[in-house]
Amino acid sequence: MSQPLKRTSGSLLETLSHLRNHMGLVLFLSLSMALLWLPGVAGTTLNCHKTCICASNIVSCSKMNLTTVPMGLPLYTAVLDLSYNDIKRLRAEWTPVKLLKLHNLLLSHNGLHFLSSEAFVYVKHLRYLDLSSNNLQLLDEFIFEPLVNVEVLLLYNNHISQIDRSAFVGMVNLQKLYLSQNQISRFPLELVKEKSRLEKLSLLDVSSNRIKILPINELQQLPAWIKNGLYFHNNPLLCDCELYSLLAHWHIRKLNSALDFKDDYKCVLPGPLKTQVGVFDLNTDHMNCSTFKEADEEAFLEQTLTLGCDTKHKDMSKTWVMPGNVMVTPGSNQTAKVLPDGSLEIGPLRPEDSGTYTCFAVSEALNETLYVVLKVHNFTMNAGGETLNTAYTTLVGCLASVVLVLIYLYLTPCRCFCCPKKGKTHGEDSIHSSMLSVTPTHEDPALKAELNRHVAFIDSKELQGQNGKFNPNGDDDDLDEEASSLGKARRKKSVAESISSVFSDTPMVV
C-alpha cells in the first residue's frame, strides 16, 4: 500500500515543478514584450541593417516595400524618410511614442489615401512634411491643426478636389504651401486674405489645377511680398482685361510669380471654340486690352497722405528720400515721417510736396528700390467742387452765346438784299449811294437850281481799280452825262486818290 502513495506524491511534485517552470517562461516572455514597448528601449528594436538605413539621427526606409511604418523608431530620429513604399493609410497609432526631435517627415509616393485626424499628435515639432505624389482626395477640417511648427507642406501631385476652409487653421508658422497638380476648382482666398490669412505664408502654389475664376480685386490689394510667391499658372482661367492688367502689373514689378512663368499663364477666350491663348497676348492679338501703366498718386492741399513701400520681401528695413534728395529723418521738423510699418506719412500737403519719393528697402539677402510719384493739386479737396461748378457755369454760358449767335444769323427777319428784286422807279436811290453819303439823295429841282451844283454819288459795285484802289470813273473815255445835259463842257470824272475819299462823310462836289 505504501508504494502507490509514494508514486502518486512523486507525480504531483513533478507536475508542480513543470508548472513552475512554465509560469516562469510565460512571465519572462510577458516582461520581455513589455520592455519592447517602453520608450527608453524602443530604439533598440529597429534593425538598421535590414529594414532601414540609419545614419546618425536620420532613418531612411525609402523603397523597402513597406505597408506600415516600422515600430520602435529611435527617439533621437530627426529625419524619417518613408517615401516610395506602399503605405496606404496613416493611422493614429503609426508611432505609439512621441518623437519630439523629429522635424522632417517624408511620405511621398506611397499611394496614401487616408489620413487620421490624430495622425500628427505625437510629431508636433515637425517643420517639413512631404505628402506629395499620393492619392489624397480631400483635406478635412483641422487635419493639420497639431502641426503648429510646420514651415513647408508639400501636397502637390495628389487628387485633392476639396479643401475645408479650416484645414490649415493652427499652422501659424507655415511659410510655403504647395498644392499644384491637383483638382482644385476654387482659389483658397482665405489663406492669403487680410484678417484670415496665415501670417507667415509667403508662397502659395495652386498651379496646374482647375481654377477658372480668380478674385482679382482681392488679389490686387495683397502686399507685394505675398504676390511675389503666388503661383496660379496652367489653370483654365477665363480671359478678360482685368486678368491681363493684374499680371502685367506683376510683371512690371518683376514679381517672381509673373516673371518666372510668363509663358505658362494661359486663359480661355469666350466663345464656343474654347481657344486657349497666352494672357500676356491679350493686349495685342485677341482682346485689345490697354497697355498697363503705373498710376501716379494724386492728392490735394492740406490733406494727409500715406505712401506705401510695397516690397517683394517681408520685414525689410526701409528709408525714404523726398523730392530734392532730402532724406526723411526721425525727429526732424518735416511734414513727412516714417511709420512703424515702413510707409511714409505726409501732411498737411503743400504744393512743394509734389515730386518723386524714393523708398530704399534693405535686408540680408536683397536690396530693393521703389519710386512713388506724387502730384499735389493747387486747391483743397472742398475747393475742387467750387472749381468744377465755375467751369460748368462757364461752359454753359459759352454754349448759350453760340446758340444766340446762330439764332441771330439764321432766324432774324430777312434783310432787303435777300428779298426778290423789284423794279426801281426813276431817281430811286441806290443802297450803295445811301451807304456812302449822309446827304439826302432825293432830287429837288428847286434846290438844284438854287445851288447850281451837282453832287455825284459813287456806286461801289461798279468801282474797279488796281492795288486795292477804286476807280470811280471806270473807263477814261466815259463822259459825265448829267454834266453834258446841263450844258457844261465835257470833262472826265476826277479819280479819287485814296480809298478814304470814297468813304468820306463829305459829298464830292463836281
Side-chain angles (χ1 to χ4, degrees):
M1 296 293 296
S2 61
Q3 291 180 353
L5 289 174
K6 290 181 180 180
R7 191 179 295 112
T8 303
S9 61
S11 299
L12 289 173
L13 290 174
E14 291 179 0
T15 303
L16 290 174
S17 177
H18 286 298
L19 287 174
R20 282 196 302 267
N21 295 334
H22 181 70
M23 291 297 294
L25 180 61
V26 172
L27 182 61
F28 175 78
L29 293 175
S30 300
L31 290 174
S32 299
M33 293 298 296
L35 289 174
L36 292 176
W37 288 90
L38 290 177
V41 296
T44 61
T45 62
L46 181 67
N47 190 339
C48 287
H49 301 287
K50 294 182 179 180
T51 308
C52 303
I53 299 175
C54 302
S56 183
N57 58 355
I58 299 175
V59 178
S60 176
C61 305
S62 179
K63 299 180 180 179
M64 296 295 180
N65 297 320
L66 300 176
T67 57
T68 60
V69 179
M71 301 300 293
L73 295 171
L75 294 181
Y76 55 79
T77 304
V79 178
L80 177 58
D81 186 1
L82 298 169
S83 60
Y84 293 93
N85 281 291
D86 197 23
I87 303 173
K88 304 294 185 182
R89 303 167 67 87
L90 191 64
R91 302 180 183 273
E93 61 273 10
W94 70 272
T95 172
V97 295
K98 295 182 180 180
L99 300 176
L100 300 180
K101 296 184 179 181
L102 184 65
H103 57 75
N104 280 30
L105 177 59
L106 291 78
L107 284 163
S108 63
H109 298 276
N110 270 284
L112 191 65
H113 62 82
F114 173 77
L115 290 176
S116 171
S117 59
E118 299 179 354
F120 305 107
V121 172
Y122 285 173
V123 288
K124 292 184 178 180
H125 294 275
L126 277 179
R127 295 200 304 269
Y128 183 95
L129 177 58
D130 185 1
L131 297 172
S132 63
S133 300
N134 282 294
N135 292 326
L136 297 175
Q137 298 182 5
L138 58 91
L139 300 178
D140 292 328
E141 58 180 353
F142 308 112
I143 186 67
F144 301 113
E145 184 179 18
L147 301 177
V148 294
N149 295 301
V150 166
E151 300 173 358
V152 179
L153 177 57
L154 279 62
L155 289 165
Y156 63 86
N157 194 25
N158 276 279
H159 301 283
I160 300 173
S161 60
Q162 299 181 19
I163 300 177
D164 191 272
R165 293 179 182 271
S166 59
F168 303 100
V169 170
M171 304 187 74
V172 294
N173 288 299
L174 186 62
Q175 300 176 16
K176 299 180 180 181
L177 176 59
Y178 297 86
L179 290 167
S180 62
Q181 300 180 53
N182 280 286
Q183 299 177 13
I184 302 171
S185 59
R186 180 188 67 87
F187 183 85
L189 182 62
E190 64 276 2
L191 298 178
V192 295
K193 188 178 180 181
E194 184 69 28
K195 296 181 180 180
S196 66
R197 68 169 177 241
L198 301 174
E199 290 297 328
K200 295 187 178 181
L201 187 66
S202 60
L203 188 149
L204 175 61
D205 186 359
V206 291
S207 61
S208 302
N209 277 281
R210 298 180 179 180
I211 301 173
K212 294 183 178 181
I213 300 176
L214 292 174
I216 293 180
N217 293 332
E218 287 79 2
L219 295 182
Q220 288 176 336
Q221 299 174 6
L222 295 178
W225 63 270
I226 292 181
K227 294 185 287 189
N228 188 56
L230 187 57
Y231 299 88
F232 51 84
H233 53 277
N234 287 334
N235 274 286
L237 301 171
L238 300 180
C239 294
D240 58 38
C241 289
E242 289 186 354
L243 176 62
Y244 166 78
S245 180
L246 177 74
L247 288 174
H249 181 203
W250 293 13
H251 192 267
I252 291 175
R253 285 293 313 275
K254 296 183 178 180
L255 301 181
N256 293 336
S257 53
L259 202 63
D260 297 341
F261 295 92
K262 179 180 178 181
D263 297 333
D264 294 324
Y265 281 97
K266 307 288 184 179
C267 64
V268 180
L269 290 173
L273 298 180
K274 305 296 181 181
T275 305
Q276 193 176 55
V277 298
V279 174
F280 287 92
D281 295 331
L282 294 180
N283 66 326
T284 54
D285 300 332
H286 305 287
M287 300 186 72
N288 293 325
C289 297
S290 59
T291 302
F292 180 84
K293 294 182 179 180
E294 288 279 4
D296 298 336
E297 292 282 349
E298 295 188 1
F300 302 91
L301 292 178
E302 301 179 4
Q303 186 180 359
T304 299
L305 182 67
T306 301
L307 302 180
C309 188
D310 196 13
T311 56
K312 296 188 293 185
H313 292 267
K314 194 178 181 181
D315 300 328
M316 302 183 72
S317 178
K318 302 171 183 177
T319 57
W320 283 88
V321 174
M322 300 175 64
N325 292 327
V326 179
M327 182 173 291
V328 180
T329 56
S332 61
N333 188 19
Q334 296 175 325
T335 58
K337 65 177 180 179
V338 180
L339 300 178
D341 62 351
S343 58
L344 183 68
E345 184 181 272
I346 315 171
L349 289 174
R350 305 166 301 178
E352 55 267 27
D353 290 329
S354 296
T356 301
Y357 291 78
T358 307
C359 174
F360 295 99
V362 180
S363 66
E364 295 181 358
L366 179 70
N367 295 337
E368 190 173 358
T369 303
L370 297 179
Y371 301 94
V372 181
V373 179
L374 174 62
K375 179 181 179 182
V376 180
H377 296 285
N378 290 325
F379 49 84
T380 61
M381 185 176 295
N382 295 330
E386 297 176 0
T387 304
L388 180 61
N389 292 335
T390 303
Y392 178 75
T393 304
T394 304
L395 178 60
V396 172
C398 293
L399 292 176
S401 301
V402 172
V403 172
L404 291 176
V405 171
L406 294 176
I407 292 175
Y408 174 77
L409 291 177
Y410 295 101
L411 298 182
T412 52
C414 186
R415 291 184 173 84
C416 295
F417 59 79
C418 65
C419 299
K421 292 185 178 181
K422 298 180 181 179
K424 294 183 180 180
T425 58
H426 180 70
E428 185 177 0
D429 293 306
S430 169
I431 187 171
H432 304 285
S433 62
S434 64
M435 291 172 61
L436 296 175
S437 175
V438 296
T439 307
T441 59
H442 298 285
E443 295 182 359
D444 189 350
L447 182 59
K448 185 185 295 185
E450 179 181 355
L451 297 177
N452 193 23
R453 62 185 178 181
H454 176 70
V455 180
F457 299 95
I458 301 174
D459 194 348
S460 61
K461 69 179 181 179
E462 297 178 357
L463 301 182
Q464 186 175 1
Q466 297 177 354
N467 299 327
K469 293 184 179 181
F470 291 98
N471 186 355
N473 296 324
D475 193 0
D476 292 340
D477 295 334
D478 292 340
L479 299 177
D480 191 344
E481 297 177 355
E482 294 185 76
S484 61
S485 63
L486 294 175
K488 304 285 183 173
R490 294 183 60 182
R491 62 180 177 180
K492 297 180 181 180
K493 294 181 180 180
S494 61
V495 179
E497 294 182 359
S498 68
I499 192 68
S500 60
S501 64
V502 177
F503 293 98
S504 176
D505 291 338
T506 305
M508 299 171 58
V509 179
V510 181

